Amino acid sequence: MVKSYFGYEESLNILGVIASGESNIVYDSSGRYVIAAALEKIHVWHMRQGLCSKTLSPKTPYSSSTRLVTSLASSPSSLIASGYADGSIRIWDIEKGTCETTLNGHKSAVSALRYNKLGSLIASGSKDTDIILWDVVGEAGLFRLRGHRDQVTDLVFLDSGKKLVSSSKDKFLRVWDLETQHCMQIVSGHHSEIWSIDADLEERYLVAGSADPELRFYTIKHDSADVHSNISNNQADVNKKDTSEGSKWDVLKFFGEIQRQTKHRVATVKFNKSGNLLACQVVGKMVEMFSVLDENESKRKAKRRINRRKEKKASKMDAQTTENGSIKTATEEDGKIFEITVSDVFKILQTLRASEKVSSFSFSPVTSKNSLATVALSLTTNLLEFYSIESSSATKLSAIELQGNRSVVRSVSLSSDNTLLLSTNHNAIKIWNPSTGSCLRTVDSDFGLCSLFVPGNKYAIVGTKSGKLELVDVRSGTCIEVVEAHGNEIQSVVLTPDGNGFITGGADHDVKFWEFGYVKKSSQDLKHFTVSPVDSMKMNDAVLAIAVSPNGKHIAVALADGTVKVYYMDSHKFFLSLYGHKLPVSCLDISTDGDLLVSGSYDKNLKIWGLDFGDCHKSIFAHAASVRAVKFVRNTHYVFSVGNDSLVKYWDADKFELLLTLDGHHDKVCCLAISNRGDFLVTGSFDRSIRRWDRTAEPFFIEEEREKRLEEMFESDIENLFEDKSMPKEEIPEEGAVGLAGKTTQETLSGTDSIIEALDMADAEIKRLAEHEEDKLKGKLAHFHPNILMLGLSPSDFVLRAISNVQTNDLELTLLALPFSDALKLLSHLKDWATIPDKVELVGRVATLLLQLHHNQLVSTVAARPVLTSLKEIIPARVKECKDTLGFNLAAMDHLKQLMALRSDAPFRDAKSKLLEIRSQIAQRAVEAGQDIKEKKRRKKKQKKVDGTHVWS
């Protein structure tokens, strides 16, 4: 009989991760929540409460290592978009906490995401150098833009979403016209990789940041002059002047440079929502804040600058000076127009210094009354900080830090009742609830390398890198004593089977035996928990791991010389020496019955030994990197191992078979703990996460897991199956190219197979129906039995069901893989579907795609002419009906708007247009007020001159 096993799957909780550094952070549209990536999951943090209100995670099974979140973008609504390391994009609804759609198009990690102002389009850039434009409403890719020679780093929509600016590591900016789908401008000038770009709300300026010591600014030219009427006449003159130097089609005109305060490269540049602040985050602890002056302030600053320059030159002028003509100004005596430079618009405000290196930052869309802006910072030490930006200083509001590990997790241990979990890192000890994932205690500590709970679970012992033992009171969360134990780092701490003491092994070649005790202090009546040494053993090399057999008979010591020494526990006499590993043995464990010993080494192998004679039962190449920890499941011969390849593996030590591979961590896995009942295990990693893996109730078989691994290998290499390696790679012209948005995945291939199968079954069913009708005409009254696999549907409806099950984003590539014969069959069904009102859009899209793909063959095939003729008569009429319906609904809504405007005293206007109108009125009044003041000063000056008094202005 084939043996079955119980599997393990990852729990929903990821302990210790607040914000991973691989992705940026964003605010939602309301400003109440901060969305941060936690490896492959997304946490929605309530800013004021400091709590995680939602965790967004796909419910479908997936490989966590390829689904690392690499980019986030927030829309004007409740939707957010997340890009992943495998090139996929997911759109989430924060309020519902659900994934609305999945978009597949990129071949590698998504490095940039940006919504347009309406939230109807998403532009995504990737490490594969491509840019894809996605339709959020239609849940489909529109087209792919190719032209960059390196990773796309940032994207910005311009001109109401009609244009797109992209930056790349290839040191160029590209401006794309989304209506004509071509690159209309290539901007050079940077001497290093461009990492971030952004434009202000009114789209007057665009800023680009790189590793250069300055920020480069560009003015934006718009197609229509009335789109932004608040752009100054002077700025229009500057654009007109620059147009004579470059092409008249250029959108970006170089405006100037501003020297940065630091030498580190720029990571992110971003304007706040109101456009009065510009932040420049560098790869370090600082975020430089620039104030953005409006038009009138910029003019006044330019005027003061020019007047100061004139005064300075006038003071140095002599009778023969001719340097007045070298002053480059755009001044006019009557109009008083001054040329505005970049320093007149952007002024350094302050430098925000965080406690650690900044990974990402985001402006809050809501600004409080007493500050200019609120900024959220994601730090590389896995925490979030919130600052209030004021005119002269920045105030730290709050921080989210207790729930996160500041560094890599070096050890994990479970209490005897499995209700507490202890983890150590370089500066703290954390005690968790493994069921809920909440952090209960945080204790300041030295660099802890190993740990255990004392029987009773009231105290814990931690071995540190400095060779000390720290005794921790679990209830109060304090370190009660520090004991000098070893001369070098303590690598292993294990309990003795009787529970009265423990054993430590260190890099100083010593194995020490300790016992628990309570000492009563003279000044206090309470007893103080302590430990005291009992015995010690000297080894030939550094001790890396210790294991004690549960029956208390043997103690095994793993050494750095690649051997495992086994001694008798009671007399400490030598028993066995296990040779075989080529590199130091990093971990080992003994089974509950004491028959087997498993050891893992830096040579990537697991070795299973018999403790009766010391023979090696099997040597297994277990991991692609060093093995860091091994543990037997209690009362079984099943073994878990973890390694530097970020994998957790489940083995049968009797059959020497790999049972499961648990793929979840994104970095080296260095520690492991298993519950007493074996119903779950906990692993700690260098990615700062602690993961819990629960045993499932559904059994599995080894053969099934082998098939799953083969399918995963096939799916991971599916892109290379359709590439001809002998063909030369496609050369992309400098002006760019356009391609299909999607990519071939397992879903598209499965969709194609299901459509072909449905067409074949429908064709066979139609033939059976025709034969049945012939039999009825001949007088053979036989009852017709429909195909049960068609679920009681007609042949046409069954094919429609198969088409409808294909995701909208995958439909194009799914139909692309259809053979011509099946495409012709599919066209014959479209006339039946066109009568269904809800399917007219689908019918039109399928017909358009098939006609574009198979145009030449359809024209030359005689059998296709009747089908095309019937579709020509039906589909345009049905599409016109849908358009008329939509037009009627729009007209009805417009009529209702007019009725509401008539019934109300206030006019019914769009809020955005009203706001723009108010802004333009305020700007006009400010200009008029400034002119009145100038006129009064001029009259006053003239009057004083008349009175005989000369005044210098």
Side-chain angles (χ1 to χ4, degrees):
M1 184 177 178
V2 180
K3 187 176 181 180
S4 63
Y5 302 87
F6 287 104
Y8 286 80
E9 64 182 8
E10 186 181 354
S11 174
L12 293 177
N13 295 326
I14 297 181
L15 285 67
V17 181
I18 296 175
S20 52
E22 291 80 7
S23 173
N24 60 314
I25 60 172
V26 293
Y27 273 92
D28 73 321
S29 57
S30 66
R32 291 182 299 171
Y33 300 100
V34 173
I35 295 96
L39 301 175
E40 75 276 3
K41 293 179 172 57
I42 300 172
H43 287 166
V44 181
W45 296 95
H46 196 287
M47 190 185 73
R48 293 186 178 179
Q49 297 178 359
L51 299 175
C52 181
S53 60
K54 285 188 181 69
T55 298
L56 308 178
S57 175
K59 296 181 180 179
T60 55
Y62 59 90
S63 174
S64 296
S65 61
T66 59
R67 289 295 174 91
L68 181 70
V69 180
T70 56
S71 184
L72 291 171
S74 178
S75 73
S77 61
S78 62
L79 299 179
I80 64 165
S82 59
Y84 293 83
D86 63 349
S88 63
I89 298 170
R90 291 178 181 267
I91 299 177
W92 305 85
D93 191 323
I94 300 180
E95 296 178 354
K96 299 178 183 177
T98 57
C99 177
E100 298 297 313
T101 184
T102 302
L103 307 172
N104 292 304
H106 291 289
K107 296 181 181 179
S108 57
V110 179
S111 55
L113 278 176
R114 185 76 68 129
Y115 273 94
N116 66 343
K117 289 184 178 180
L118 297 177
S120 58
L121 297 177
I122 295 179
S124 63
S126 170
K127 290 184 178 180
D128 61 8
T129 73
D130 291 346
I131 301 166
I132 300 180
L133 196 70
W134 306 91
D135 182 2
V136 178
V137 180
E139 299 179 358
L142 299 179
F143 49 85
R144 182 190 303 265
L145 300 173
R146 295 177 175 175
H148 284 293
R149 300 294 193 267
D150 207 335
Q151 172 185 332
V152 180
T153 55
D154 209 348
L155 300 163
V156 171
F157 279 99
L158 295 179
D159 202 4
S160 302
K162 296 178 182 178
K163 295 181 179 62
L164 181 71
V165 183
S166 61
S167 64
S168 171
K169 286 186 177 181
D170 61 7
K171 307 177 187 178
F172 291 102
L173 295 175
R174 285 179 176 264
V175 183
W176 307 86
D177 191 324
L178 301 182
E179 294 180 338
T180 59
Q181 301 176 16
H182 79 285
C183 180
M184 58 189 305
Q185 185 184 1
I186 301 175
V187 182
S188 60
H190 285 275
H191 305 290
S192 59
E193 300 169 342
I194 305 173
W195 287 96
S196 181
I197 57 175
D198 198 19
D200 61 341
L201 181 64
E202 297 176 351
E203 296 181 4
R204 296 184 301 164
Y205 306 104
L206 183 136
V207 57
S210 64
D212 298 343
E214 61 276 331
L215 293 176
R216 291 177 68 90
F217 292 85
Y218 302 87
T219 58
I220 302 171
K221 175 187 172 184
H222 298 274
D223 291 340
S224 55
D226 56 345
V227 174
H228 296 279
S229 58
N230 56 348
I231 297 180
S232 65
N233 295 330
N234 176 60
Q235 191 61 56
D237 291 340
V238 173
N239 286 342
K240 185 185 251 185
K241 180 181 176 182
D242 291 340
T243 305
S244 61
E245 300 174 359
S247 171
K248 65 177 181 178
W249 305 107
D250 288 350
V251 176
L252 299 181
K253 308 292 181 183
F254 180 67
F255 186 44
E257 296 177 346
I258 289 184
Q259 197 75 15
R260 296 192 289 110
Q261 304 293 317
T262 61
K263 297 181 180 180
H264 301 288
R265 75 163 177 87
V266 174
T268 309
V269 290
K270 193 173 294 184
F271 286 92
N272 66 340
K273 188 174 182 181
S274 59
N276 62 340
L277 283 180
L278 169 66
C280 173
Q281 175 225 329
V282 299
V283 181
K285 297 182 179 181
M286 292 188 292
V287 179
E288 299 175 21
M289 294 288 175
F290 297 87
S291 62
V292 184
L293 305 181
D294 60 16
E295 180 185 350
N296 296 324
E297 291 176 343
S298 302
K299 283 184 177 181
R300 286 196 293 269
K301 189 173 180 182
K303 182 181 176 181
R304 290 196 299 270
R305 173 175 53 82
I306 292 172
N307 288 337
R308 285 196 301 269
R309 188 184 302 176
K310 283 183 177 181
E311 291 175 1
K312 189 179 292 186
K313 282 187 175 289
S315 64
K316 297 180 180 179
M317 228 168 40
D318 56 359
Q320 296 179 353
T321 186
T322 57
E323 295 178 356
N324 288 335
S326 63
I327 303 176
K328 295 183 180 180
T329 62
T331 61
E332 295 182 6
E333 293 298 331
D334 297 329
K336 298 293 182 182
I337 299 177
F338 299 91
E339 180 183 2
I340 298 175
T341 62
V342 66
S343 59
D344 298 328
V345 182
F346 299 93
K347 182 181 68 173
I348 185 69
L349 183 66
Q350 58 176 286
T351 300
L352 172 62
R353 297 179 183 271
S355 57
E356 296 292 339
K357 285 187 177 181
V358 182
S359 174
S360 173
F361 83 99
S362 179
F363 276 112
S364 172
V366 180
T367 305
S368 60
K369 296 180 180 179
N370 300 326
S371 65
L372 297 175
T374 302
V375 176
L377 300 181
S378 167
L379 305 187
T380 55
T381 52
N382 189 25
L383 60 93
L384 293 174
E385 290 183 348
F386 302 94
Y387 288 86
S388 175
I389 306 299
E390 299 163 3
S391 57
S392 59
S393 63
T395 305
K396 185 177 179 180
L397 300 176
S398 60
I400 301 174
E401 55 183 345
L402 293 179
Q403 298 91 333
N405 294 310
R406 300 282 77 77
S407 64
V408 299
V409 181
R410 296 307 300 261
S411 73
V412 290
S413 57
L414 287 166
S415 60
S416 58
D417 55 0
N418 303 322
T419 58
L420 296 176
L421 170 67
L422 185 142
S423 67
T424 63
N425 53 44
H426 81 289
N427 64 352
I429 301 167
K430 286 184 176 290
I431 300 172
W432 309 81
N433 184 338
S435 300
T436 62
S438 58
C439 181
L440 305 178
R441 299 282 189 274
T442 299
V443 185
D444 292 336
S445 166
D446 198 358
F447 200 139
L449 298 179
C450 50
S451 59
L452 61 84
F453 277 94
V454 175
N457 303 324
K458 295 180 180 179
Y459 301 96
I461 297 175
V462 176
T464 66
K465 193 174 183 178
S466 60
K468 300 175 183 178
L469 288 174
E470 294 183 348
L471 310 185
V472 179
D473 189 333
V474 176
R475 294 167 296 181
S476 62
T478 57
C479 180
I480 57 177
E481 188 179 356
V482 178
V483 180
E484 295 284 348
H486 289 265
N488 208 330
E489 56 189 33
I490 302 175
Q491 297 282 4
S492 182
V493 176
V494 293
L495 277 173
T496 55
D498 57 8
N500 295 326
F502 62 98
I503 307 169
T504 60
D508 58 355
H509 304 188
D510 285 342
V511 175
K512 293 189 176 182
F513 297 81
W514 305 76
E515 67 176 4
F516 303 125
Y518 290 90
V519 177
K520 187 175 181 181
K521 292 186 177 181
S522 58
S523 60
Q524 297 179 0
D525 296 330
L526 297 176
K527 290 185 178 180
H528 180 68
F529 175 78
T530 186
V531 296
S532 57
V534 177
D535 202 352
S536 66
M537 297 169 57
K538 194 70 176 178
M539 298 290 116
N540 297 327
D541 210 331
V543 179
L544 300 184
I546 297 175
V548 180
S549 59
N551 56 12
K553 185 177 180 181
H554 298 116
I555 175 174
V557 182
L559 302 177
D561 60 3
T563 62
V564 177
K565 305 290 185 183
V566 183
Y567 298 86
Y568 288 103
M569 185 71 177
D570 50 1
S571 62
H572 300 172
K573 288 185 178 180
F574 176 78
F575 174 53
L576 290 172
S577 183
L578 308 179
Y579 296 94
H581 285 292
K582 298 177 182 178
L583 291 175
V585 181
S586 56
C587 52
L588 76 165
D589 195 22
I590 300 175
S591 61
T592 308
D593 54 12
D595 293 341
L596 296 179
L597 182 145
V598 60
S599 61
S601 168
Y602 289 106
D603 61 8
K604 310 174 187 178
N605 290 328
L606 283 180
K607 290 185 181 293
I608 301 171
W609 313 82
L611 276 182
D612 45 1
F613 300 107
D615 56 326
C616 181
H617 291 181
K618 187 69 174 178
S619 180
I620 305 172
F621 183 77
H623 290 265
S626 303
V627 183
R628 298 298 297 266
V630 291
K631 288 285 183 182
F632 274 102
V633 179
R634 191 172 183 179
N635 298 325
T636 69
H637 283 179
Y638 301 144
V639 180
F640 279 97
S641 66
V642 299
N644 284 352
D645 57 357
S646 74
L647 298 178
V648 181
K649 294 192 175 183
Y650 185 33
W651 307 86
D652 188 337
D654 292 330
K655 294 186 175 182
F656 318 121
E657 289 278 359
L658 174 63
L659 304 180
L660 279 177
T661 299
L662 305 177
D663 183 8
H665 286 286
H666 303 277
D667 208 337
K668 302 174 184 178
V669 187
C670 57
C671 50
L672 167 71
I674 305 177
S675 65
N676 295 332
R677 298 186 298 273
D679 55 343
F680 72 92
L681 69 146
V682 179
T683 54
S685 169
F686 275 46
D687 61 9
R688 295 189 175 94
S689 70
I690 302 172
R691 294 176 186 262
R692 170 174 168 154
W693 312 82
D694 294 328
R695 186 168 61 194
T696 61
E698 183 178 355
F700 72 94
F701 300 95
I702 298 178
E703 290 75 12
E704 293 179 354
E705 288 302 313
R706 288 176 182 168
E707 291 179 1
K708 287 182 181 178
R709 286 195 289 270
L710 289 175
E711 289 178 0
E712 289 175 359
M713 291 173 61
F714 171 75
E715 186 175 355
S716 63
D717 200 42
I718 200 169
E719 284 290 331
N720 299 327
L721 295 177
F722 300 95
E723 293 181 0
D724 191 354
K725 296 181 180 180
S726 61
M727 292 291 290
K729 292 185 177 181
E730 180 186 359
E731 289 292 335
I732 301 174
E734 186 177 350
E735 62 272 13
V738 181
L740 295 177
K743 72 172 182 178
T744 304
T745 61
Q746 184 65 36
E747 287 78 11
T748 61
L749 294 180
S750 301
T752 304
D753 293 339
S754 63
I755 292 173
I756 293 175
E757 184 181 356
L759 287 170
D760 292 340
M761 291 178 63
D763 198 21
E765 190 72 1
I766 290 172
K767 289 181 180 178
R768 289 183 62 225
L769 285 170
E771 292 174 358
H772 178 67
E773 292 296 330
E774 290 180 2
D775 291 342
K776 286 177 66 177
L777 293 175
K778 293 178 181 179
K780 297 179 180 179
L781 299 176
H783 183 69
F784 180 77
H785 295 282
N787 190 349
I788 194 173
L789 296 177
M790 297 185 68
L791 306 175
L793 301 174
S794 65
S796 180
D797 292 341
F798 186 68
V799 178
L800 177 60
R801 178 178 177 272
I803 287 284
S804 301
N805 288 337
V806 178
Q807 290 188 6
T808 310
N809 180 47
D810 299 332
L811 183 60
E812 189 169 7
L813 287 170
T814 301
L815 297 179
L816 183 62
L818 276 181
F820 175 71
S821 57
D822 292 312
L824 193 58
K825 292 178 185 178
L826 187 58
L827 283 172
S828 63
H829 290 283
L830 293 183
K831 59 182 180 181
D832 298 331
W833 304 343
T835 58
I836 306 174
D838 296 340
K839 300 298 179 181
V840 174
E841 183 181 356
L842 177 63
V843 169
R845 190 176 175 199
V846 171
T848 305
L849 289 173
L850 293 179
L851 288 173
Q852 289 175 346
L853 294 173
H854 304 284
H855 176 265
N856 294 333
Q857 285 180 289
L858 287 172
V859 170
S860 59
T861 304
V862 179
R865 291 177 185 175
V867 178
L868 296 177
T869 304
S870 61
L871 291 178
K872 182 180 178 182
E873 296 174 355
I874 297 174
I875 293 181
R878 297 295 299 160
V879 172
K880 186 177 182 302
E881 289 180 11
C882 289
K883 285 185 176 180
D884 292 342
T885 304
L886 291 174
F888 179 81
N889 291 337
L890 290 174
M893 292 174 65
D894 190 31
H895 181 64
L896 289 175
K897 185 172 72 173
Q898 293 176 4
L899 290 178
M900 293 174 64
L902 290 174
R903 293 174 184 174
S904 176
D905 295 334
F908 190 94
R909 296 182 182 178
D910 184 34
K912 186 176 179 181
S913 61
K914 181 66 175 176
L915 180 61
L916 291 175
E917 183 180 347
I918 292 173
R919 285 181 177 176
S920 63
Q921 290 176 359
I922 293 174
Q924 184 66 25
R925 290 174 182 173
V927 171
E928 294 175 354
Q931 292 177 353
D932 292 342
I933 293 173
K934 290 178 182 177
E935 182 64 24
K936 289 180 181 178
K937 287 183 177 179
R938 189 181 65 81
R939 291 178 180 175
K940 188 176 182 180
K941 181 178 178 181
K942 187 176 179 180
Q943 183 65 31
K944 287 184 178 181
K945 284 184 178 180
V946 171
D947 295 339
T949 306
H950 185 73
V951 179
W952 290 93
S953 60

